[in-house]
Amino acid sequence: MNEKALHTLEYNKIIKQLEDLAFSPVGKEYCHNLLPHSDRKWIEASQRETSDALTHILTQGGVSFSGIKDIRASLKRLEIGSILGTGELLAISALLDAAGRIKNYFRQSLNEDDETGDSLNERYMLIEPLFPLMQEIKRCIPAEDEIADDASPGLAQTRRRIKTTSNKIHEQLGSILNSGSRSMLQDAIITMRNGRYCLPVKAEYRSSFNGMIHDQSSTGSTLFIEPASVVKLNNEIRELELKEQQEIEKILAELSNQAAEQNFYIEQDFNVLSELDFIFAKAMLSKNMRATEPRFPEENYIEIKKGRHPLIDSKKVVPIDLNIGKDFSLLVVTGPNTGGKTVSLKTAGLFTLMGQAGLHIPAFDGSCLRIFDEVFADIGDEQSIEQSLSTFSSHMVNTVSILERANEESLVLFDELGAGTDPVEGAALATAILSNLHSRGSVVMATTHYSELKLYALQTPDVENACCEFDVSTLRPTYRLLIGVPGKSNAFAISGRLGLSDEIIQDAKRHVSSDAQQFEDVINNLEKTRLQLEKERTIASENRKEISALKKELREKTEKLESSKERIIQNANEKAAKILNEAKEFADETIRKYTKWAQSDKHIREMEAERANLRNKLNDSHSKAAVQKSRPKAKSVKASDLMIGSDVKILSLNSVGTVSTLPNDKGDFFVQAGLLRTKVNIKDIELIQTHKDKAKPAKGSKNTGSGNIRMDKASSVHQEINLIGMTVDEAIPLLGKYLDDAYLAHMEHVTIIHGRGTGALRNAVHGHLKRTKYVKSFRLGEFGEGDMGVTIAEFR
């Protein structure tokens, strides 16, 4: 692709966004050097890689390629047997760490045995984390300027000796600081000069203080002298430091040898991770733009569905629909300035470049692009004072260059073709240029204000008009691209809306030729007809949607009714058959008995008993039917109607019980029914007595007071007790009474707040809970419950 088109269509700005999404240096290089291709296989493979990476991001979340540095120079040094520094080895360790992280990321979704699956599978299989090497480097080199003591036995021993010798030196110097020589010192401190321990001595005592002078202050009043008593120890430290450096060199050499043995896999990891970083950067760009993968049909046409220019604010951009190359190969776009003509032009060109570079485009799924060998664009005012080129001249220079190179595999974009000169000559040139390119088979889009080009599009096969819609009533463009309709400049309408007098406007209309006026009238009528048809089409579309929804709803209801009807009939038939079988068996048995009794008069009593039994069975059947028919609907109970201790009837069990806990959000709670404690729903109970009624004993009944005690406890006991601020002697009696009350109120568990403190109160509480027989278990609170400051006790 020519550089001018890439710059004109602002492809470089898309690449800058892509580059910012990559982590590794080489990944950024790949992004920076990405150019559109014309090879179909490369484009389709690249698009699939971007789509597969986007699928990973959407299903698993993003993956970080941070920590990958450019280690190519280090790999070259390993090849020739050089020893790497700590920074270089840490860079290799970071690369292997990233390899392990990304290997694990892919392992969650990819199947290693699947040869036809994800296009990234092959790269995933090539990643070798080399965990032993990575862990060894991390163990020996915690930071870039640090080697661990345990990196080798020799280094650990040497550093221990350095520390011991240093301590001896400090002891010696400390004794000097505390001796009679203290008056000779400028300050009572130990300092370092040239890697040796020294003391700051006053200059007048230089001959009295035995030692070696290493430095002096800027004023000369202080001399930094190494006392003679520590010279040997300082020499020993210097020797140990040299030995330490030799040990470090051995460690780095050993690590470098280990890395050199894995040089092939390290380089492979570096290349694969850099490529994956580049691919995932493309996927993240697609996600940020809400883009989709374009298709490249063999029929070679462009069909953009709701395309959004990626460099315009997503909250302001108006999507456009554009197609070219299927029914026509040349599109003439007209309309007022700032109406969106140039944006439509740039959108088509930029989408083509992005698609051929393997990038997704911000448009609806199913959008199609054509593969071109070249994209040419002449857009914008490119006049040059330095080259003495006017607007028209600069455009014509570009046009000449395009005409020299364009062919049937080219996309050509012209903005305001033929502008900047005499309108008649400009229109004639524009028509001739478009006709020439059309005859070559090039796909062309051109914007213009010339009516002659509108006529050319109307009269020429394979050429189509388009316009950018403009709302005259608001003087604002809608930015919608309408294909098949020539546009109007709307100069008279806009001028009138802005306050220009009708007299001047009418006079201006008289200066327009009759042919031009008639043409504008035809366009105006076409626009009115189009708006009316579009309105009717919108109404019809809404009606179709509503009808479709109603049909679907009716079909679902019908299917549901049919299903219910069949089930009800089936159940009824089964019950009827069961009743008939029972009746038949009972009747047969009765007939057999009466036949037997008819032969003898000795069974009168048995006959009467059987008749009574038959009469009772019939009465039971009638009473059951009556109950089924007339049973009143249970009164619904609200959660606010219930309190701990309330008496309720469990409808499904036909038993009475007492409320143990209050309902939760779903209406579930526990009821104590005799020895059985069961979980019920509020819809399955009936309140049979209110709290006040229960508190009043019936006449003649013996009131033990236990019911009142339980109800009083249930209404007064809280779910928690706060013992903070009390001593153990004060807290334990209160706790004992509280636990008794809570247990009588049938609480499941309580919270005891004792605070953290010294732990004395907590230990006393736990001891009391252990001694309380009706306490099943207890535990400290968890996160969100109070942690160590509370204890949760559960009753039996």
Side-chain angles (χ1 to χ4, degrees), residues 196-211:
R196 303 180 77 86
Y197 288 98
C198 301
L199 293 175
V201 180
K202 295 177 182 177
E204 56 266 29
Y205 295 108
R206 64 185 302 168
S207 59
S208 303
F209 196 91
N210 187 20

Side-chain angles (χ1 to χ4, degrees), residues 142-202:
E144 187 167 347
D145 55 352
E146 180 183 356
I147 300 292
D149 291 347
D150 60 349
S152 73
L155 181 63
Q157 182 181 5
T158 302
R159 285 183 173 174
R160 279 196 300 271
R161 291 180 61 189
I162 289 174
K163 187 175 181 181
T164 302
T165 306
S166 177
N167 290 338
K168 290 180 180 179
I169 292 173
H170 277 81
E171 289 176 4
Q172 290 279 354
L173 295 177
S175 64
I176 294 173
L177 290 175
N178 297 322
S179 67
S181 303
R182 171 70 182 83
S183 59
M184 299 181 185
L185 303 179
Q186 196 73 261
D187 293 298
I189 60 172
I190 300 172
T191 183
M192 293 280 290
R193 285 295 184 275
N194 301 323
R196 303 180 77 86
Y197 288 98
C198 301
L199 293 175
V201 180
K202 295 177 182 177

Side-chain angles (χ1 to χ4, degrees), residues 222-241:
T222 303
L223 301 177
F224 297 96
I225 299 178
E226 177 187 2
S229 59
V230 298
V231 170
K232 184 178 179 181
L233 292 174
N234 269 328
N235 290 338
E236 187 176 341
I237 281 188
R238 292 294 296 167
E239 291 174 1
L240 289 172
E241 286 176 347

Side-chain angles (χ1 to χ4, degrees), residues 455-501:
L455 284 171
Y456 169 74
L458 288 172
Q459 296 171 353
T460 309
D462 198 35
V463 181
E464 188 60 87
N465 270 305
C467 71
C468 288
E469 190 178 48
F470 189 87
D471 190 344
V472 180
S473 61
T474 61
L475 294 183
R476 290 181 180 276
T478 66
Y479 302 106
R480 291 176 57 204
L481 182 66
L482 306 174
I483 294 177
V485 180
K488 294 180 61 179
S489 296
N490 295 303
F492 294 153
I494 294 173
S495 301
R497 291 283 297 176
L498 293 175
L500 190 65
S501 67

Side-chain angles (χ1 to χ4, degrees), residues 592-605:
R592 281 195 297 271
K593 289 179 179 180
Y594 273 96
T595 303
K596 178 182 177 182
W597 294 332
Q599 298 173 0
S600 173
D601 56 355
K602 298 178 181 180
H603 304 285
I604 301 299
R605 185 178 296 175

